[in-house]
Amino acid sequence: MAVNKKSLKRLIVALDLEEKKKLNKIVKDLSGYIDKFKIGLIAYTKFGPQIITQLKSKGFKVFLDLKLLDIPNTVINTAKIFAKMRVWAFTVHLKMGENPLTLLKKELASFCRKNKLRKPLILGVTELTSEKASLKNVLKLASLASRVGLEGVIASSQEAPFIRRKYPKLKIITPGIRPPDYEQDDQRRVSSASFALNYADFIVVGRPIIKAKHPLAGVKKILSC
Ligand code: C5P
């Protein structure tokens, strides 16, 4: 089965694993196909920042999904470390509120300018795809992300068409992607990749790929549905 190269560029594989051997094998098997991996709480807690150095040394872009939610000083200084680690993007909870997010954006941009670093994309988490959520609430959070100048939001494919229409400049990153015959796991607001890619800039997929016997076959299956 052939894979569409443009879709591969829009697929971020979530390395939610704690076995290094397995993680390395998935990265190796997908090398040459996938250029972005997501490191979340599981892999970051298990392997520490070295996992980012390792992926970057192999030429991959790293999306660091630690979903920051704390006081401005803590979040801003953590984000500066992310920039020094040269992550491609990271997540913050939009629940942090307008003033803290505005300050984060401003301080990180100025830090990156001074230190000649590429500013990582700041992506705001709307509502987790594992929960039911009201469209109204997600749009309210997307509006906040747009107002404070974040580069994008994490939202399910159910809200993505509305966010795309109202806030065309915001990047949309969509988890909760499942082929029709695959179990939902703990995800609730799910869709196929082809539906999500009509609206989202990127899709994030973990278990349907990392638990597949052959991860590349998992990638092909996801992108064919
Ligand atoms: O295994 P699965 O495809 O469900 O993985 C989805 C990934 O996206 C997980 O790493 C999860 O932490 C992340 N995520 C999510 N919903 C959000 C934000 C991130 O599922 N709203």
Side-chain angles (χ1 to χ4, degrees), residues 183-200:
E183 51 195 304
Q184 284 195 206
D185 302 309
D186 52 352
Q187 297 284 16
R188 291 186 84 158
R189 294 173 7 256
V190 300
S191 83
S192 67
S194 57
F195 177 83
L197 285 170
N198 285 328
Y199 308 99

Side-chain angles (χ1 to χ4, degrees), residues 6-12 36 197-198 200-203:
K6 279 191 184 156
S7 302
L8 283 172
K9 284 255 167 214
R10 296 167 67 196
L11 171 62
I12 304 171
K36 296 174 202 72
L197 285 170
N198 285 328
D201 296 275
F202 300 98
I203 53 172

Side-chain angles (χ1 to χ4, degrees), residues 14-16 38-42 63 65 67 91 125-130 154-156 173-178 182 184-187 189 204-210 222:
L15 294 172
D16 294 329
K38 183 175 90 77
I39 293 297
L41 287 167
I42 299 173
F63 170 19
D65 179 26
K67 299 186 180 67
T91 43
V125 178
T126 57
E127 296 282 354
L128 296 176
T129 43
S130 53
I154 316 289
S156 91
I173 292 83
T174 297
I177 304 298
R178 292 291 182 269
Y182 193 94
Q184 284 195 206
D185 302 309
D186 52 352
Q187 297 284 16
R189 294 173 7 256
V204 173
V205 185
R207 287 161 288 184
I209 293 172
I210 64 173
I222 276 286

Side-chain angles (χ1 to χ4, degrees), residues 26-46:
I26 292 168
V27 170
K28 192 165 167 243
D29 287 359
L30 298 184
S31 174
Y33 295 91
I34 294 296
D35 69 347
K36 296 174 202 72
F37 285 107
K38 183 175 90 77
I39 293 297
L41 287 167
I42 299 173
Y44 195 77
T45 304
K46 182 75 186 184

